[in-house]
Amino acid sequence: MILLPEQPWWQKGVIYQIYPRSFLDTTGNGIGDLRGIIKKLDYLEELGVSGLWLCPIFPSPMYDFGYDTSDYYNIEPLFGSMDLFQEMLLTARKKNIRIILDLALNHTSHLHPWFIESSSSRNNTRSDWYIWANPRPPRRPPNNWKSVFGGSAWTWSEKRKQYYLHSFTPEQPDLNWRNPDVKKELYNIIRFWLEKGADGFRLDVVDFFLKDDRLRSNPLCIGRRPYEMQKHIYDKNRPETIEIMREIRSLVDLYPHKLALGEVAERNTEIAASYYGPASDGLHLNFNFDFLEQPWKAKAFQVSIEDWEKLLGTGNWPVYTLSNHDVPRHFSRYGNCQNRARAAAGMVLTLKGTPVIYYGEELGMPQGRIPRAQIRDPVGKRYWPFHPGRDGSRTPMQWDDSPNAGFTDANPWLPVNPNFPRVNVADQKKDPQSLYHFYRRLIKFRNSSNALQSGIIRFTNPSNSSVLAYQRKVPGENLLILINFSSRDQPVELPSKFVSPHLAFSCPTLEIEAGKKRVLLPPDGFAILQE
Ligand code: NOJ
């Protein structure tokens, strides 16, 4: 008998992303905290998730809400303390829930002591820890690189009479990953949190870690906004970055069952796939932003998934998500419709790969509308009204119908969605037909199905362009998943093995007549049939 290696938890289970500021406030300052997460671990256990990805919880002046870290070895006091972190870890562990930390290692805060020292002169012990360059005469930035968040990627320092690079806001100077001392320190940070017991990392913008060593200007191209008017061949995705991914992987693999999950916000899937490493020795997982940006069309998703499957091959494991803290919530992107939200969840939770769900999507929380005066996100502040910013996907979790949706007793840091009296956890828990219960039942089903956790995926092309149909299969379990992307009934021909199938899961309930070769899939219908 061949003994297959046990599948890691992060392949089998569902990961739930929490934006800690917005989950639950227990200190009365309008900002969520770690105690809030601890309090809701029962809720998360009941939902059936296996891991939590927490957006950054380290000390930060919050210019980019934690993605500007000023101390990598501590917990942000607004969120709690190291003791509280340990308590969260232990309580979660007892419930079989793992904790994934979000590390932003491309850049620090401009208030990080490393940057303060580095910018103090041209000859200090950290003078080369960031990317400094002389001006092009008379005092122009060193090259044409742009910040993702607008404007030049270079800011002038009077003290050094040089520019420093920041791929995001000026308050987020880019670290110099080419400096061995910097790399050593960043790997220490990874080791530090693994030793503390963290179960892995979501690694922010890994594609930006290395820049061209000669700082060459990017070639220009046609694009909608200034950042898109350049081909980003010199300021990110440098081929040598893969070496770093491999080093991180071997470091993380020294600790059993830990996860390195990358963020490469890239529609080019070949580039995104390359972060898994040439011999599957890079990151364990890397997000697929092509999938996340698909329109609500069966064919579009099928093409995206098949492309990703092909690029990853058999040695790499996919990860799928439809929402996160940077993009508008998919509930609203796909039409603010509870039934469609079921179909979307049905897809993400049954594909081959790790599903990552975003807090509140299990309720159908919509994208928030933030009045201008209440915008907090640096992107929104800079670009309103052309871009409202990302606050709308970060509004407080809707726990119940009490003031502020039970999120806080104080003034919430972002306004609560006004629909909270209708859309909240307490009400949905009471209603067996709710979206929450749909997620819960389906996650439960997934957690007990080998085919869904580890089986191969094969699309069956049901000659109906509104329906996505695929099989998930392991020896002894063969499932057919059907998802209707339209708001009409859709007939679907069943593959011969699925004539008179056992209906394992469906929403709304599917009528199946014995011996019939076709079923009528209701609008937004989702079904799992068993051979
Ligand atoms: C990606 C993060 O998801 C986003 O929130 C952040 O602003 C940028 N990286 C910069 O760290």
Side-chain angles (χ1 to χ4, degrees):
M1 188 172 88
I2 308 171
L3 272 184
L4 291 173
E6 203 349 354
Q7 223 190 344
W9 67 269
W10 48 264
Q11 289 189 359
K12 297 203 312 200
V14 175
I15 296 177
Y16 185 96
Q17 181 191 354
I18 291 181
Y19 200 70
R21 286 182 83 87
S22 299
F23 205 55
L24 180 66
D25 169 24
T26 62
T27 60
N29 61 0
I31 296 173
D33 45 58
L34 298 192
R35 174 68 64 211
I37 296 176
I38 297 174
K39 277 196 158 174
K40 293 299 179 184
L41 284 170
D42 285 343
Y43 169 77
L44 296 161
E45 182 185 27
E46 251 175 68
L47 187 60
V49 301
S50 303
L52 306 179
W53 150 25
L54 310 182
C55 285
I57 54 172
F58 315 109
S60 161
M62 301 285 170
Y63 285 82
D64 192 18
F65 299 106
Y67 288 96
D68 50 327
T69 307
S70 53
D71 176 0
Y72 290 95
Y73 297 100
N74 258 308
I75 299 295
E76 162 61 43
L78 278 173
F79 295 145
S81 61
M82 198 58 102
D83 284 348
L84 204 55
F85 170 77
Q86 296 287 7
E87 186 185 329
M88 175 180 67
L89 215 62
L90 287 176
T91 325
R93 178 111 349 126
K94 285 195 198 124
K95 299 178 180 301
N96 241 331
I97 295 178
R98 323 281 169 136
I99 304 285
I100 298 164
L101 298 177
D102 197 328
L103 281 177
L105 301 180
N106 172 67
H107 42 261
T108 67
S109 156
H110 68 311
L111 299 180
H112 194 295
W114 301 339
F115 188 70
I116 294 178
E117 186 181 347
S118 188
S119 54
S120 65
S121 69
R122 287 198 196 189
N123 52 2
N124 58 70
T125 51
R126 295 207 164 82
S127 60
D128 199 19
W129 274 46
Y130 293 82
I131 301 178
W132 293 97
N134 292 329
R136 279 182 293 182
R139 221 188 78 176
R140 286 197 306 143
N143 63 24
N144 72 355
W145 296 354
K146 298 257 178 283
S147 149
V148 177
F149 291 167
S152 169
W154 296 96
T155 287
W156 178 253
S157 154
E158 254 321 304
K159 279 201 191 126
R160 285 188 56 142
K161 302 268 184 270
Q162 277 183 316
Y163 280 95
Y164 69 87
L165 180 75
H166 50 86
S167 301
F168 297 88
T169 69
E171 291 80 19
Q172 293 164 295
D174 282 35
L175 281 159
N176 179 10
W177 269 88
R178 292 189 189 272
N179 178 336
D181 293 338
V182 171
K183 210 156 83 161
K184 200 164 140 210
E185 182 68 35
L186 298 174
Y187 292 167
N188 271 341
I189 294 166
I190 293 182
R191 217 171 283 120
F192 175 84
W193 288 104
L194 289 170
E195 293 287 337
K196 286 262 177 227
D199 295 292
F201 307 99
R202 178 266 190 189
L203 296 160
D204 191 55
V205 294
V206 287
D207 45 338
F208 283 83
F209 281 9
L210 288 181
K211 288 86 183 170
D212 180 44
D213 49 359
R214 289 158 49 199
L215 304 181
R216 280 171 283 185
S217 277
N218 286 322
L220 302 181
C221 62
I222 310 247
R224 275 177 305 143
R225 51 182 199 108
Y227 189 79
E228 290 159 6
M229 292 176 190
Q230 297 188 355
K231 286 190 188 160
H232 292 277
I233 59 172
Y234 291 129
D235 56 350
K236 59 179 194 169
N237 289 319
R238 299 303 298 159
E240 316 90 277
T241 318
I242 300 307
E243 262 322 296
I244 297 184
M245 300 303 111
R246 296 172 73 198
E247 287 172 9
I248 293 181
R249 167 69 174 270
S250 33
L251 176 53
V252 171
D253 277 351
L254 292 176
Y255 300 76
H257 315 302
K258 307 291 174 178
L259 166 68
L261 156 62
E263 183 216 18
V264 172
E266 178 71 65
R267 280 301 288 268
N268 181 326
T269 46
E270 258 177 64
I271 294 180
S274 72
Y275 285 80
Y276 282 84
S280 303
D281 50 355
L283 299 176
H284 295 110
L285 299 177
N286 191 25
F287 278 121
N288 177 344
F289 277 72
D290 179 64
F291 177 85
L292 179 125
E293 291 181 29
Q294 291 306 321
W296 187 246
K297 291 210 159 66
K299 195 75 202 158
F301 277 106
Q302 180 168 341
V303 169
S304 176
I305 298 158
E306 284 185 316
D307 168 61
W308 196 233
E309 277 282 319
K310 203 155 121 211
L311 282 166
L312 296 197
T314 48
N316 299 309
W317 189 254
V319 50
Y320 292 106
T321 188
L322 286 172
S323 285
N324 65 39
H325 62 293
D326 291 331
V327 300
R329 286 179 175 274
H330 73 268
F331 181 79
S332 296
R333 285 200 329 264
Y334 295 144
N336 290 311
C337 161
Q338 289 266 337
N339 287 342
R340 207 176 265 188
R342 284 182 174 75
M347 172 174 65
V348 172
L349 293 168
T350 59
L351 288 174
K352 180 189 150 207
T354 305
V356 179
I357 59 179
Y358 185 50
Y359 82 95
E361 76 168 67
E362 72 276 26
L363 310 174
M365 265 174 63
Q367 179 70 2
R369 280 169 196 250
I370 312 295
R372 187 181 181 188
Q374 282 169 281
I375 290 179
R376 307 291 298 269
D377 176 27
V379 176
K381 282 188 178 160
R382 186 176 174 127
Y383 286 112
W384 190 92
F386 305 104
H387 189 312
R390 300 167 294 176
D391 297 317
S393 50
R394 303 171 179 178
T395 59
M397 178 70 171
Q398 297 169 207
W399 293 109
D400 55 40
D401 63 2
S402 69
N404 295 321
F407 162 70
T408 180
D409 294 335
N411 204 7
W413 79 285
L414 278 179
V416 179
N417 272 315
N419 75 352
F420 76 88
R422 281 181 295 113
V423 175
N424 62 64
V425 171
D427 281 357
Q428 293 205 15
K429 273 186 140 184
K430 283 186 234 144
D431 172 8
Q433 302 309 320
S434 66
L435 185 57
Y436 161 80
H437 277 291
F438 176 87
Y439 268 84
R440 199 173 151 229
R441 280 198 303 273
L442 188 52
I443 294 174
K444 195 165 172 212
F445 183 85
R446 186 193 148 91
N447 286 348
S448 62
S449 159
N450 286 331
L452 288 187
Q453 288 173 18
S454 59
I456 55 156
I457 184 166
R458 190 155 12 93
F459 285 90
T460 62
N461 295 316
S463 69
N464 181 332
S465 61
S466 299
V467 173
L468 192 65
Y470 46 92
Q471 288 181 44
R472 298 293 318 278
K473 198 172 173 179
V474 285
E477 190 184 5
N478 189 6
L479 303 176
L480 174 67
I481 287 108
L482 301 174
I483 308 167
N484 183 352
F485 276 65
S486 78
S487 29
R488 298 218 176 108
D489 284 336
Q490 295 291 347
V492 182
E493 300 292 329
L494 295 175
S496 54
K497 285 192 173 156
F498 289 90
V499 174
S500 305
H502 166 65
L503 183 60
F505 194 102
S506 76
C507 184
T509 311
L510 200 63
E511 306 292 333
I512 295 189
E513 288 176 49
K516 277 269 168 70
K517 287 200 180 118
R518 70 186 351 218
V519 288
L520 205 57
L521 202 56
D524 306 303
F526 168 78
I528 305 179
L529 312 184
Q530 201 157 9
E531 182 186 327

